[in-house]
Amino acid sequence: MLSCRDTAKMISDGSMETTGFFGKLFLRLHLMMCSNCRRLLKQIGLIGRLAREQAAAERENTPVPEGMEKRIVDRICGGGKGKG
Amino acid sequence: MNFSDPDFLDRVRKKDPEALTAVVHAYGKQIFRAALGAGLREDEAEEAVQETLTAFVQNIARFEGRSHIRTWLFGILYNKIAESRRKRKKSEAHDSIDDVIESRFDSNGHWIRPPRDVEEIFNDGELRAMIGECLEGLSEKQKNAFVLKEVEGFPTMEICEILDVTGTNLGVLLYRARNGLRECLESKGVERG
């Protein structure tokens, strides 16, 4: 039987995705009985979603600098310094 | 454009301007945004993109095509970021977050202090803003592992290759990053009361 500590580790380090059949079964049984670990699972999922949303919002507000791609192509094809 | 096509890779090795331009157009923006996500300023991020692609071209003869070009480019990028911050690099052998997490369980592994419902204290907008602040509290490697996994959506194997860590190391980094972020959000909830 998994302890809450074992379950928290599996939820947080990603091993819940890669564990075998019995690992997933024990995890599911534990989560059925433990509201604290269910809350942890929900929070870890929430943190990932919020980070994606925050990054998407920041990326939308920070456009790629104008002419950046041309400066890079000039630098790597022409051997110039590029930036500036 | 198939970037794994041997003919295309051969053109890249020969520094064919058209092929190099295709690589820049395909990955320049993605690398720029990843550099911003790793905490670089806009000017530093552009410099990092230029240096990454320049290093890519300079070392193209060593690229055997066994991994994807994207994996190789991100590997170069994260090496450059790590190099520039080596002096500030924290040791990954032990992290204070391990003690914080451990203090939440008793000797039998049961919760003593279970997680609090932060989403009942803050709304999504507040939580999103706080995630940005809390990410700054993580070590460089934890932050990079978390961003590559959750924001960039890279597969585990590819992240291991980019950060040059084993699967076990990556698990430790993600464990510390996710719990570090959760503890950070919870502490802000405690402050609010």
Side-chain angles (χ1 to χ4, degrees):
Chain A
M1 194 65 196
L2 292 176
S3 68
C4 294
R5 185 195 281 118
D6 298 332
T7 305
K9 185 174 179 304
M10 288 178 78
I11 290 170
S12 309
D13 71 4
S15 58
M16 66 178 280
E17 296 162 21
T18 54
T19 188
F21 173 78
F22 286 106
K24 285 194 172 79
L25 181 68
F26 290 139
L27 184 69
R28 190 173 295 182
L29 285 172
H30 183 96
L31 287 171
M32 278 170 64
M33 294 183 297
C34 180
S35 60
N36 290 328
C37 286
R38 282 203 301 276
R39 191 179 310 137
L40 176 75
L41 178 65
K42 191 173 143 199
Q43 279 190 6
I44 296 292
L46 174 77
I47 286 169
R49 175 174 68 77
L50 292 169
R52 279 189 292 281
E53 288 175 1
Q54 178 65 10
E58 281 175 7
R59 286 169 184 195
E60 212 167 280
N61 294 332
T62 314
V64 172
E66 202 177 327
M68 181 187 83
E69 290 178 342
K70 187 179 179 310
R71 285 194 290 278
I72 294 169
V73 172
D74 288 349
R75 178 166 167 178
I76 63 179
C77 293
K81 183 74 184 129
K83 189 167 166 60
Chain B
M1 186 75 70
N2 180 3
F3 291 107
S4 302
D5 176 40
D7 290 338
F8 177 78
L9 291 176
D10 201 42
R11 285 171 57 205
V12 174
R13 279 190 201 95
K14 287 176 181 158
K15 300 185 182 176
D16 170 37
E18 199 185 319
L20 292 174
T21 303
V23 172
V24 171
H25 283 157
Y27 297 113
K29 285 178 188 166
Q30 197 181 355
I31 297 170
F32 173 76
R33 287 170 176 151
L36 286 180
L40 300 190
R41 295 191 316 264
E42 197 175 316
D43 57 330
E44 292 173 330
E46 179 171 342
E47 189 60 28
V49 181
Q50 292 207 15
E51 286 182 2
T52 297
L53 286 157
T54 304
F56 170 73
V57 172
Q58 282 168 351
N59 296 294
I60 191 68
R62 282 174 32 220
F63 183 65
E64 294 169 3
R66 281 201 293 256
S67 56
H68 198 282
I69 281 185
R70 181 182 72 168
T71 310
W72 220 54
L73 288 169
F74 271 76
I76 298 171
L77 172 71
Y78 279 94
N79 261 324
K80 296 230 162 273
I81 292 170
E83 245 173 55
S84 66
R85 293 180 172 171
R86 192 146 288 156
K87 284 181 186 171
R88 282 192 277 153
K89 190 178 163 192
K90 295 176 188 172
S91 165
E92 295 290 334
H94 182 80
D95 194 289
S96 58
I97 188 68
D98 292 342
D99 299 328
V100 176
I101 300 165
E102 193 53 36
S103 71
R104 285 182 170 264
F105 300 99
D106 65 17
S107 57
N108 294 318
H110 298 304
W111 290 104
I112 305 169
R113 286 189 305 119
R116 291 182 69 199
D117 258 330
V118 285
E119 58 270 43
E120 285 179 6
I121 306 170
F122 302 106
N123 62 39
D124 266 18
E126 290 174 316
L127 283 168
R128 271 198 299 275
M130 285 189 290
I131 282 278
E133 290 170 29
C134 291
L135 269 169
E136 296 310 312
L138 301 181
S139 79
E140 203 61 36
K141 271 199 162 180
Q142 290 165 16
K143 184 176 165 185
N144 290 341
F146 178 81
V147 169
L148 282 169
K149 178 79 181 169
E150 297 286 4
V151 178
E152 303 294 342
F154 280 35
T156 300
M157 292 285 283
E158 214 172 328
I159 301 173
C160 290
E161 206 175 323
I162 290 167
L163 297 180
D164 193 23
V165 295
T166 64
T168 307
N169 291 148
L170 179 62
V172 172
L173 291 172
L174 289 173
Y175 174 79
R176 289 172 176 168
R178 287 167 169 156
N179 283 288
L181 292 172
R182 200 178 52 73
E183 293 287 346
C184 176
L185 292 179
E186 246 195 70
S187 69
K188 289 177 187 292
V190 170
E191 281 168 25
R192 182 173 284 196

